Amino acid sequence: MRKIFLLICCVTMLVLNSSLCLAETTVKPVKINLADNVEKTTYVELSYPTIGGLKSQEVLDKINADIKKEARSFAERIEFLNTLPGEKITGWSNYVLRYADKGIFSITFNEGTYLPGATYPQINIIGLNYDTETGKRLTLDIKGDIATINKLNANIEEVIKQQKNVESAQVGLLTRVPKEFFYDEKGRLRLIIQKDSIAPYSAGSIFIPAE
């Protein structure tokens, strides 16, 4: 009787394990497809993505419309500035895919502007982050208290230590939480410190942990 009971238990465990393995192999992650878009205006060349691969066309349309809006609003600002008297300004944009998993789609959108007489372009990095279930753009919810600011400044110092061409003494301090962010390849939140905002231009843009 005991042997029969043990045999039944073993068969039950095998069935359960087989079911679990089958479930794991049949669940497929959502794969987001990217298509490049290039648009040229008189003074600006834009490059931005259109995404595909989500189940909801409504969500896809919502995300793609917001990305296009961000790209074109940058071009419109440059075109407007060139209606004013003075030397003309040119600009460009491109993007980097940062993360696409676990309900989040994240890219950084680089906006470059060439000012008359400048040796290097002025570059601003925008984080575009979306909930792939709803299409809503994600916002940052980090308190700007003193303890948080001190922690972020400590994170900046750690990042700067890895750059041989920049001394810590050359880097200023944050006084508020940066508004731009993205999710890195492991899904970790990263804050964007814009180039030349608190550190020398040679340091480039700085990406720091949010915690």
Side-chain angles (χ1 to χ4, degrees), residues 82-93:
N82 283 321
T83 64
L84 304 176
E87 296 184 66
K88 301 305 179 184
I89 301 169
T90 58
W92 54 266
S93 74

Side-chain angles (χ1 to χ4, degrees), residues 162-181:
Q162 301 173 19
Q163 301 194 24
K164 297 179 180 179
N165 62 332
V166 181
E167 298 287 340
S168 296
Q170 296 177 278
V171 181
L173 296 175
L174 289 177
T175 57
R176 58 184 177 181
V177 177
K179 67 177 183 177
E180 299 298 338
F181 68 98

Side-chain angles (χ1 to χ4, degrees), residues 30-71:
V30 175
K31 183 178 180 181
I32 292 180
N33 305 314
L34 293 181
D36 291 327
N37 298 283
V38 176
E39 295 183 10
K40 294 182 179 181
T41 65
T42 306
Y43 297 102
V44 184
E45 181 170 330
L46 302 174
S47 174
Y48 62 91
T50 296
I51 74 168
L54 299 181
K55 294 180 180 179
S56 170
Q57 187 61 45
E58 182 181 355
V59 170
L60 282 173
D61 291 343
K62 189 173 183 178
I63 293 174
N64 287 326
D66 193 69
I67 293 173
K68 181 184 289 188
K69 180 181 177 181
E70 178 62 44

Side-chain angles (χ1 to χ4, degrees), residues 34-197:
L34 293 181
D36 291 327
N37 298 283
V38 176
E39 295 183 10
K40 294 182 179 181
T41 65
T42 306
Y43 297 102
V44 184
E45 181 170 330
L46 302 174
S47 174
Y48 62 91
T50 296
I51 74 168
L54 299 181
K55 294 180 180 179
S56 170
Q57 187 61 45
E58 182 181 355
V59 170
L60 282 173
D61 291 343
K62 189 173 183 178
I63 293 174
N64 287 326
D66 193 69
I67 293 173
K68 181 184 289 188
K69 180 181 177 181
E70 178 62 44
R72 290 184 171 176
S73 65
F74 167 66
E76 289 168 2
R77 292 195 299 271
I78 300 298
E79 295 293 337
F80 171 75
L81 290 174
N82 283 321
T83 64
L84 304 176
E87 296 184 66
K88 301 305 179 184
I89 301 169
T90 58
W92 54 266
S93 74
N94 58 32
Y95 68 93
V96 178
L97 173 63
R98 298 292 182 175
Y99 186 72
D101 198 4
K102 298 180 181 178
I104 295 175
F105 174 68
S106 178
I107 63 173
T108 48
F109 194 65
N110 307 308
E111 301 174 340
T113 305
Y114 285 96
L115 303 175
T119 305
Y120 301 101
Q122 179 180 336
I123 299 176
N124 196 50
I125 300 180
I126 306 297
L128 300 180
N129 309 280
Y130 301 94
D131 183 327
T132 56
E133 293 295 323
T134 64
K136 291 183 178 179
R137 192 160 166 178
L138 301 176
T139 57
L140 194 61
D141 185 21
I142 298 179
K143 295 181 179 179
D145 55 38
I146 294 176
T148 300
I149 297 299
N150 288 341
K151 176 58 178 175
L152 295 180
N153 281 318
N155 290 346
I156 291 173
E157 187 173 356
E158 287 300 315
V159 172
I160 290 297
K161 285 180 180 178
Q162 301 173 19
Q163 301 194 24
K164 297 179 180 179
N165 62 332
V166 181
E167 298 287 340
S168 296
Q170 296 177 278
V171 181
L173 296 175
L174 289 177
T175 57
R176 58 184 177 181
V177 177
K179 67 177 183 177
E180 299 298 338
F181 68 98
F182 67 92
Y183 293 85
D184 68 12
E185 70 280 358
K186 294 184 178 180
R188 299 170 300 190
L189 187 62
R190 290 288 184 262
L191 302 181
I192 302 171
I193 313 296
Q194 302 295 343
K195 182 177 289 190
D196 208 25
S197 58

